[in-house]
Amino acid sequence: MGFDLQLKELRAAASALELKLEEIVTQADPKGLENGFQTAKQKQLGAIMTTATRRFEDERKRIAELAIKYRLPAIYPQKEFVETGGLMSYGTDLADLYRRAAHYVDKILKGTKPGDLPVQQATKFEFVINLKAANQIGLTIPPNVLARADKVIK
């Protein structure tokens, strides 16, 4: 999903939930990331969420560290952020997507025209929580939320 489409969807969701969405545009270099988190803290934001862009994926460890440093609850689009120290993620199960893509490759190699295959969207999503990160920022995750997680990192 492109950056502009992500923002459009975030804006619509925030409006529907009657939440104030504060957009902070930053560069994915050490200074830019630090400035972005300082801005979030100064604005007393209750939580952060990154967009699913390559530049943030490449800096996921640093982003997770800054979220802990500034004690900001954060949700990320991929579990790799959580595996490197982030609080939680909710996103597409990439392994499932790769398996489904392999089936398409198999069909194409067996003669099916790519244009004859239906376009598919992700149908399987993962919710991952890192309890160590929650403890580091003084956040208690309610048991009913933990029960919904596909994976809990302790």
Side-chain angles (χ1 to χ4, degrees), residues 8-57:
K8 179 182 173 190
E9 295 297 328
L10 284 171
R11 290 172 185 144
S15 177
L17 295 168
E18 298 180 1
L19 295 173
K20 182 182 178 200
L21 178 66
E22 187 76 40
E23 298 173 31
I24 300 172
V25 178
T26 185
Q27 296 299 313
D29 59 52
K31 184 178 179 183
L33 291 172
E34 185 85 34
N35 289 341
F37 275 90
Q38 285 174 350
T39 299
K41 196 65 173 177
Q42 288 169 353
K43 292 184 177 208
Q44 299 179 341
L45 301 183
I48 64 161
M49 180 179 144
T50 63
T51 53
T53 61
R54 186 63 165 159
R55 62 190 187 127
F56 288 138
E57 290 171 26

